[in-house]
Amino acid sequence: MDVFYQQLINGLSLGGIYALIALGYTMVYGIIELINFAHGDVYTLGTFFSLAILTGLGVSGEVHGLALVGVVLVTMLAAMLLCGITGVLIERLAYRRLRNAPRLAPLITAIGMSFILENVMQLWKGPSPISFPAVIPNPSFQAGGVEIAAKQILVIVLAIVMMVALQLFIRNTKMGKAMRATAQDRDAAQLMGININTTIAMTFLIGSALAGAAGFVSGVYYGTTWFFNGFEAGLKAFTAAVLGGIGNVAGAMLGGFLIGLVEAFATQYIPQGAQWTNVVVFSVLVLVLVFRPSGLLGEAVPEKV
Amino acid sequence: MSFFKLTNVRKTFGGLVAVNDLSFAIEAGSIVAMIGPNGAGKSTVFNLITGIYSPSSGAIDLEGRTLRSLSTDRVTARGIARTFQNIRLFAFMSALDNVMTGCHAQMRASLVDSLLHTPRQRAEERTVRERARELLKFVGLEGDADNYARNLSYGHQRRLEIARALATDPKLLLLDEPAAGMNPREKEGLIALIRRIRDKGVTVFLIEHDMHLVMNLSERVTVLDHGEKIAEGTPEAVRNDERVIEAYLGRADGAA
Amino acid sequence: MNPAVRRSLRFVPLLLLPLVPLVDHNNSHIDFLANAGAFILLALGLNIVVGFAGLLDLGYAAFFAIGSYSYAMLASQQFGIHVPFWVMLFAASGIAAIFGILLGAPTLRLRGDYLAIVTLGFGEIVPQTFLNLSQYTNGPNGINSLDSPSLFGHRFGFSATPYFYVMLGLIVIGVLLASNLQNSRLGRAWMAIREDELAARHMGINTTAAKLSAFALGASFSGLAGVAYAAKLDLVSPDQFQFNVSVLVLSMLVLGGMGNIPGVIVGSFALSFINSFLLPQSTNLVHSIGLTWIDFTDYRFMLYGVILVAMMLFRPEGLIPSRQRRAELREALTDPGISAQEQTEYQGAAR
Ligand SMILES: Nc1ncnc2c1ncn2[C@@H]1O[C@H](COP(=O)(O)OP(=O)(O)O)[C@@H](O)[C@H]1O
Ligand SMILES: [Mg+2]
């Protein structure tokens, strides 16, 4: 039973990272119906930016007390900002021109962007995994026979805080309302005086910033990163977004945690599970898309003819 | 037994009742019309017939056999073809290819025929191309065979949609606002065309806002408002029906 | 001129190709051409799926893997089974087609972008499975010492020349079949589906069946290429079939011109040439003048990425486009007449 709870905690922490990435997929898909394939790589960029900032700050190991709070906040916010800007640039340079093109054109472009980003990161830090300083000291808390590390708490709490903040933003601010309006009906939103370009850019800014945050925590969590990180993590996060109901913020969160749990339990309970986790996750993706493409929290909308 | 019959058909979208308990029948070889204000549920009726939507309840029968749970392509194979309110041609295919595509269900070429271009396949292609040319001529588009559908004028696009629908060899042809966007001269041509179609033995069921066209062509008119049938009968009877006048005059968005 | 004749004329340069090994005795050149041939086959097959039917398949390498592994398992010492190469060409394209149907049947109702992701997932699952089932596949080491094909008792051995002719033959057949398909009832149905799926259904086209046949046919080309490529390489291993292979083949189509057979062949050959010749040779060149820290082969993914992005933005119809694709993609770029809204409405309506 302890093993079960241990995997539950592990799954939730993994899931926190997927959830943060999934938010970006879901927001962008919600507003321009694009699977932003490069999003996973923006997340990897988040780990790379964080690493560069930590190096700049001279941090190479554990930090304690107030300094820890400072380092975490500065690094994460800076990574979020840089990723946010990257996301906005990608939208501006690669996607905007294709907004009215057949749907597959921007998707192909996004795959291209993904390859470009991966190659840039490969040239930046080389093709092998690189280590990421374990900034957060490792006090673990015992509850029953289950061990919870501080960094796990950080991941889970951060994911939940970010989602709540995002929900509040979307519900209550003018920009949030503009995003919802644009997602519903772009032409109508435009007629209502909403600046579509700004709204879409803002969506990329926020989504990519969340990927930046995910990048930072995943660096801390795994203690390693490499240029190809975002491919798998991105696919899993996209699966999470679809599972939750694409376009739905709470759904992305739910999906993220569920995928994290699926992965953790598959590793534990399937013989040689670690080898098969990807197969299991992608099978989940296929099954969800086939049987409930609107996801757990999304609603099926019949299309008008 | 009627040729075509709707019985207590109902369709809801979430809370919205788009079509409510609708029943009527169509005689073979006739031209009938359905009118009603925008949003009355007319196009939805067509979508229910062609299997794009399935009815929440009720039955739709063609020649005594139900169309229930048939996919759209099977409905077409049964002999129902349509045009669309918002033209949906294959924009970047030539007019001829559009019509040849309509012949799909009558063609027998198998995968192997298509791969190998067997003599049988080539003969069939020739026949179908010939038939498509005839249909283009029938609707008056013989000069446009090689043009992309997208480059045709609006009125010609509407005619091409009709030719493409006829290529499926329908018994019942559904026309959704065929005169929309046409000038008076084009409308006269359309009236003549629809008569010629009926004279070939195809039953025509059309949705139209243009009263001149409806009154001129149709033998019976069904009036829909808020998804309900509020009147039915000959054009004259319907024109003088109190509820119809009210439905149209009570609204700003009435007949165009 | 008769369009069929004109179409055939475009392929005349192909007639000169059989002479190449007689003129050029450099085995590495012939080897390169044979490899490039396998990728042309792949591109021809993917073109049926993406170019003709408009379905984005991002897991195409999976079928390549299935073809290769079929040969490796059924024509080697691995299980002591030795099915002849020529039989395996047929068998593997059939096996790949079956997998295409198994993948497509449940998923082809999905909207285009979801389908793309599902195929991507499949593309990840397949090599991973070959990797994990190590008791049958030797896991990461792969299977080697495959049977060398033979013709009229003459074994191919390690020379690239026989493979060159095999690839050439397969490409000629592939081109004929693909262009036949394009100009047939099925090809028209694919085109119609690509343009407006809902309207296509109203033409009596069973869109699921039509898409499924595109998937199966595309997969069978890939299976065929897999057998020939595995036999030539004398080896299969799971890392030959990663996502980047699927993207490479997609880049070939995008570069050359989706939907246009000559374009696809040129695009495919050009990218193979850049990959196998231009990048390594220019690296050697700069190394020879002392710039040893430069390695152009490190920029491969960048190259695919830039091709995909730049082509989609500036020349979406490809370098050698089909007339139709050009109009389709160009006008959508410049003309808001077809709105994204309408485009999405074209995708199947919910029942
Ligand atoms: N797929 C759909 N989802 C939700 N509502 C729909 C859908 N299709 C039609 N409706 C609604 O049903 C009503 C009838 O529409 P329609 O049949 O198009 O009217 P008409 O053709 O008479 O103008 C309208 O209120 C419309 O908004
Ligand atoms: Mg209507």
Side-chain angles (χ1 to χ4, degrees), chain C residues 262-302:
Chain C
V264 163
I265 293 175
V266 171
S268 177
F269 186 80
L271 257 185
S272 289
F273 182 77
I274 293 172
N275 259 336
S276 309
F277 261 99
L278 211 54
L279 296 183
Q281 295 291 359
S282 48
T283 304
N284 287 346
L285 193 71
V286 294
H287 282 194
S288 70
I289 57 172
L291 306 172
T292 46
W293 67 90
I294 297 179
D295 185 348
F296 290 113
T297 57
D298 281 348
Y299 292 80
R300 244 173 221 158
F301 285 10
M302 182 85 80

Side-chain angles (χ1 to χ4, degrees), chain B residues 5-192:
Chain B
K5 188 171 73 178
L6 268 73
T7 318
N8 303 332
V9 170
R10 182 181 162 88
K11 177 68 186 176
T12 56
F13 295 108
L16 177 86
V17 183
V19 176
N20 194 8
D21 204 27
L22 181 67
S23 303
F24 66 86
I26 298 175
E27 292 307 316
S30 61
I31 300 176
V32 300
M34 182 160 59
I35 63 171
N38 280 326
K42 305 180 297 295
S43 296
T44 301
V45 171
F46 276 15
N47 288 331
L48 289 166
I49 296 171
T50 60
I52 294 296
Y53 303 147
S54 44
S56 308
S57 62
I60 305 174
D61 307 281
L62 178 73
E63 298 180 312
R65 289 166 69 201
T66 180
L67 299 178
R68 169 168 288 278
S69 69
L70 285 191
S71 58
T72 300
D73 55 300
R74 308 258 313 277
V75 172
T76 305
R78 278 280 193 90
I80 298 182
R82 77 178 286 186
T83 66
F84 297 89
Q85 182 174 347
N86 311 305
I87 297 174
R88 300 185 77 143
L89 286 164
F90 305 119
F92 295 101
M93 288 165 69
S94 70
L96 189 70
D97 278 338
N98 267 273
V99 181
M100 286 178 75
T101 307
C103 297
H104 183 91
Q106 270 109 62
M107 297 177 73
R108 294 281 79 91
S110 66
L111 177 60
V112 174
D113 291 321
S114 294
L115 273 168
L116 302 180
H117 277 204
T118 53
R120 188 173 95 125
Q121 187 269 354
R122 273 179 282 165
E124 185 180 65
E125 281 285 311
R126 269 195 304 277
T127 318
V128 163
R129 186 174 306 268
E130 207 37 57
R131 194 169 117 68
R133 282 194 191 283
E134 274 163 24
L135 280 167
L136 282 177
K137 201 161 151 212
F138 181 76
V139 301
L141 292 178
E142 57 272 36
D144 284 313
D146 294 329
N147 293 335
Y148 281 142
R150 171 172 233 269
N151 296 340
L152 302 184
S153 73
Y154 197 74
H156 282 195
Q157 291 193 7
R158 289 228 172 262
R159 283 169 172 269
L160 179 57
E161 252 202 339
I162 294 177
R164 188 181 68 170
L166 288 174
T168 68
D169 201 14
K171 296 171 183 145
L172 174 65
L173 176 63
L174 312 175
L175 302 173
D176 197 342
E177 304 197 13
M182 286 189 172
N183 63 37
R185 217 175 45 112
E186 287 174 322
K187 281 181 189 170
E188 289 309 321
L190 179 68
I191 291 176

Side-chain angles (χ1 to χ4, degrees), chain C residues 118-182:
Chain C
V118 169
T119 55
L120 199 164
F122 180 73
E124 289 303 297
I125 290 174
V126 167
Q128 181 94 47
T129 304
F130 284 128
L131 178 69
N132 290 353
L133 294 177
S134 42
Q135 64 270 45
Y136 308 110
T137 62
N138 305 342
N141 300 328
I143 302 172
N144 52 26
S145 303
L146 312 185
D147 295 351
S148 181
S150 58
L151 189 61
F152 307 125
H154 167 75
R155 278 166 64 88
F156 283 17
F158 288 105
S159 158
T161 308
Y163 292 101
F164 169 85
Y165 286 112
V166 168
M167 296 294 180
L168 195 60
L170 291 177
I171 290 170
V172 169
I173 295 170
V175 167
L176 285 176
L177 295 182
S179 80
N180 276 351
L181 280 171
Q182 191 173 18

Side-chain angles (χ1 to χ4, degrees), chain C residues 40 55 76 85 109 122 132 164 166 168 192 206 292 301 309 314 346:
Chain C
I40 290 177
L55 307 165
S76 71
F85 174 77
R109 279 178 307 127
F122 180 73
N132 290 353
F164 169 85
V166 168
L168 195 60
N206 180 340
T292 46
F301 285 10
V309 175
F314 303 112
Y346 284 4

Side-chain angles (χ1 to χ4, degrees), chain C residues 52-267:
Chain C
F52 294 171
L55 307 165
L56 187 52
D57 182 350
L58 295 178
Y60 191 60
F63 302 114
F64 191 36
I66 288 168
S68 294
Y69 268 94
S70 302
Y71 189 68
M73 293 198 207
L74 298 178
S76 71
Q77 282 307 337
Q78 185 73 1
F79 301 113
I81 303 172
H82 299 280
V83 182
F85 174 77
W86 307 102
V87 176
M88 277 312 293
L89 280 179
F90 282 98
S93 58
I95 294 170
I98 289 170
F99 275 94
I101 289 170
L102 287 181
L103 170 65
T107 57
L108 280 169
R109 279 178 307 127
L110 296 172
R111 310 159 41 141
D113 46 2
Y114 278 14
L115 177 69
I117 295 298
V118 169
T119 55
L120 199 164
F122 180 73
E124 289 303 297
I125 290 174
V126 167
Q128 181 94 47
T129 304
F130 284 128
L131 178 69
N132 290 353
L133 294 177
S134 42
Q135 64 270 45
Y136 308 110
T137 62
N138 305 342
N141 300 328
I143 302 172
N144 52 26
S145 303
L146 312 185
D147 295 351
S148 181
S150 58
L151 189 61
F152 307 125
H154 167 75
R155 278 166 64 88
F156 283 17
F158 288 105
S159 158
T161 308
Y163 292 101
F164 169 85
Y165 286 112
V166 168
M167 296 294 180
L168 195 60
L170 291 177
I171 290 170
V172 169
I173 295 170
V175 167
L176 285 176
L177 295 182
S179 80
N180 276 351
L181 280 171
Q182 191 173 18
N183 300 291
S184 72
R185 169 180 187 240
L186 189 55
R188 234 178 353 256
W190 287 333
M191 217 190 292
I193 291 171
R194 210 174 67 209
E195 296 250 336
D196 187 336
E197 181 165 351
L198 187 125
R201 275 189 240 148
H202 280 91
M203 302 299 106
I205 295 169
N206 180 340
T207 52
T208 312
K211 290 194 219 170
L212 212 48
S213 46
F215 240 59
L217 287 161
S220 67
F221 274 61
S222 192
L224 208 64
V227 171
Y229 194 70
K232 176 177 172 303
L233 212 63
D234 197 30
L235 165 84
V236 293
S237 72
D239 57 358
Q240 296 166 336
F241 310 103
Q242 299 298 323
F243 180 56
N244 59 326
V245 175
S246 297
V247 172
L248 169 61
V249 182
L250 180 67
S251 308
M252 291 168 168
L253 300 197
V254 168
L255 180 67
M258 283 184 275
N260 194 34
I261 293 171
V264 163
I265 293 175
V266 171

